[in-house]
Amino acid sequence: MPIRDFGLLFLVCMVWGLNVIVTRWVFLNSDVQPVFYAALRFGLIALVLLPILFRRVPKNLGKLFLIATCMGSAHFALLFIGLANASGSAAAVVGQLGVPFTTILSVIFLSEKVRWRRGLGIVLAFLGVIIITIDPGNFNMEVGLFFVIGSAFVGAMGAIMMKQITPMPAIHMQAWMGAMSCLPLLVVSALLNGFEGGVTGQFQAFIDGGLLIWLATLFAVFGVSIFGHGSFYWLITRHEMTLLSPLTLMTPIWGVAFGVLILGETITVKFLIGGVVSLLGVLIIALRPNSKFPLASVAKKLLSGT
C-alpha cells in the first residue's frame, strides 16, 4: 500500500475511533438522549445528502429499509444507549464483535465454511469481551456494554442482508440510510421520553448543549459519515479486503487512546488483557478470506457510521 493510501486509512481510523469517544462525551456533557441523538445525526446526514438521494433509487426499497433498520436505526440506537452507560474505551473494543458476528451469520445464512483458524478467532474475540466486561468479584457486567454487543449483532444482520440487494455507491447508501432511519428513531425517542415535551424537548436539550455539542454532531456527520466512509470506500476500490480489514483494527486502538486522553478513562490490566485477546481474535478472522461475503468484516464500518 502506498504511503499516501496508508496515511488516509490511518486518518480514517483515527476519525472513527475519535467519534466513539466524542459521542460518549456528548452524553456525559448534555441532556440529549441517545435515541434522539441518533435520529438527529441521521436526519442531518439525509439533509446534507438530499441533492443525491433520488439520483439512484434502489430497486427494492423494502429490503433496503430492513437493512437501514439493522445497520442504521437499531444499530445506532443500541450503540448510543451503550455509550451513554459504558466507558468509551470498552465500547470501542466490544464494538468489534461485529466481525465475528458477521462471520457466524455468514455460516448460518450464506453457507460460509469456517475452519479452525477463524473458529479460534471467534472464540478469542468473545473471550476477550468476557474478560473486559465481567467483574470476577461479583460477576456483574457493565450494563451499557450489553447494548453495544446488541448493536454489533444487528449491524452484522444488516451486513448479511446487503448480500440480497444490488450494490450501491456508499454515498447513495448513506443518503438512503439517513432518510430511512431518522423517522423511526424520532418515534422511538418520543415513546421513550414521553410525548409531553417529547421530540421538541429533546431538540431544545440539544440546542442548550452549546457550541461544543453542535460541533461534535457536525464532526459525526461530515468527519465520520461523509469523509470517513467516503474515503474508505475509495480505498476499497484500490486495495484488497485482506489488506484493509486487519488495518482497520487501528480504530479501537485510537478509541482507547482518546478515551484516556479526552475522558480520563482508566485502563486496567484486566481491560488490557481482554482488549488484546479480543482484538487478536478479530485480527485472525479479518486475515482469513470470507468466500461468501468478502466485505463482511468491514461492511458495517463502511455503511453504518462507526
Side-chain angles (χ1 to χ4, degrees):
M1 179 183 294
I3 293 296
R4 179 195 62 179
D5 292 4
F6 177 79
L8 179 60
L9 180 60
F10 184 87
L11 182 59
V12 167
C13 291
M14 183 175 70
V15 166
W16 284 341
L18 176 60
N19 184 58
V20 174
I21 303 307
V22 167
T23 304
R24 168 69 173 161
W25 179 89
V26 167
F27 298 138
L28 289 174
N29 292 275
S30 74
D31 294 325
V32 179
Q33 296 299 314
V35 177
F36 175 80
Y37 190 67
L40 179 65
R41 175 173 169 174
F42 277 116
L44 290 173
I45 291 172
L47 183 62
V48 170
L49 299 179
L50 186 61
I52 67 170
L53 182 65
F54 294 104
R55 288 185 184 177
R56 180 172 299 191
V57 178
K59 294 181 179 179
N60 195 324
L61 290 175
K63 285 185 179 178
L64 182 59
F65 180 76
L66 290 176
I67 293 171
T69 299
C70 289
M71 300 182 73
S73 52
H75 170 74
F76 274 88
L78 292 170
L79 176 61
F80 284 4
I81 292 172
L83 283 171
N85 296 280
S87 71
S89 300
V93 175
V94 173
Q96 299 304 304
L97 284 182
V99 176
F101 274 140
T102 306
T103 303
I104 292 171
L105 292 173
S106 293
V107 173
I108 297 172
F109 295 106
L110 303 178
S111 300
E112 173 73 12
K113 302 297 182 183
V114 173
R115 301 188 183 279
W116 71 269
R117 289 184 180 86
R118 274 198 289 173
L120 174 63
I122 291 170
V123 171
L124 289 176
F126 284 101
L127 176 62
V129 168
I130 291 172
I131 294 172
I132 291 172
T133 56
I134 294 182
D135 182 352
N138 52 24
F139 294 98
N140 286 335
M141 187 173 184
E142 196 170 358
V143 174
L145 294 181
F146 277 113
F147 290 95
V148 177
I149 293 170
S151 75
F153 179 77
V154 296
M157 286 289 293
I160 294 299
M161 284 190 286
M162 282 178 57
K163 249 314 227 192
Q164 302 173 2
I165 66 170
T166 303
M168 295 175 61
I171 196 70
H172 288 91
M173 181 66 82
Q174 288 279 27
W176 281 99
M177 194 88 67
M180 290 181 164
S181 298
C182 180
L183 183 58
L185 286 169
L186 285 176
V187 172
V188 173
S189 177
L191 291 172
L192 291 176
N193 298 299
F195 284 99
E196 185 177 352
V199 173
T200 303
Q202 280 300 299
F203 186 73
Q204 187 60 50
F206 172 76
I207 296 298
D208 293 341
L211 180 62
L212 290 179
I213 301 297
W214 308 341
L215 291 176
T217 307
L218 292 177
F219 169 73
V221 173
F222 290 98
V224 178
S225 295
I226 295 179
F227 166 75
H229 302 312
S231 298
F232 192 67
Y233 180 77
W234 181 79
L235 288 168
I236 285 177
T237 65
R238 293 172 57 85
H239 302 284
E240 295 293 331
M241 286 298 97
T242 51
L243 175 61
L244 292 174
S245 283
L247 293 176
T248 61
L249 287 179
M250 290 186 287
T251 299
I253 295 173
W254 276 116
V256 172
F258 284 125
V260 174
L261 293 173
I262 296 175
L263 301 179
E265 295 178 346
T266 301
I267 303 302
T268 64
V269 174
K270 182 170 78 77
F271 177 86
L272 284 175
I273 294 173
V276 169
V277 170
S278 186
L279 294 181
L280 176 61
V282 174
L283 177 62
I284 292 172
I285 299 169
L287 287 172
R288 307 301 298 175
N290 187 318
S291 61
K292 299 294 183 180
F293 190 12
L295 296 181
S297 60
V298 293
K300 180 172 72 68
K301 292 183 181 299
L302 174 61
L303 296 174
S304 67
T306 295

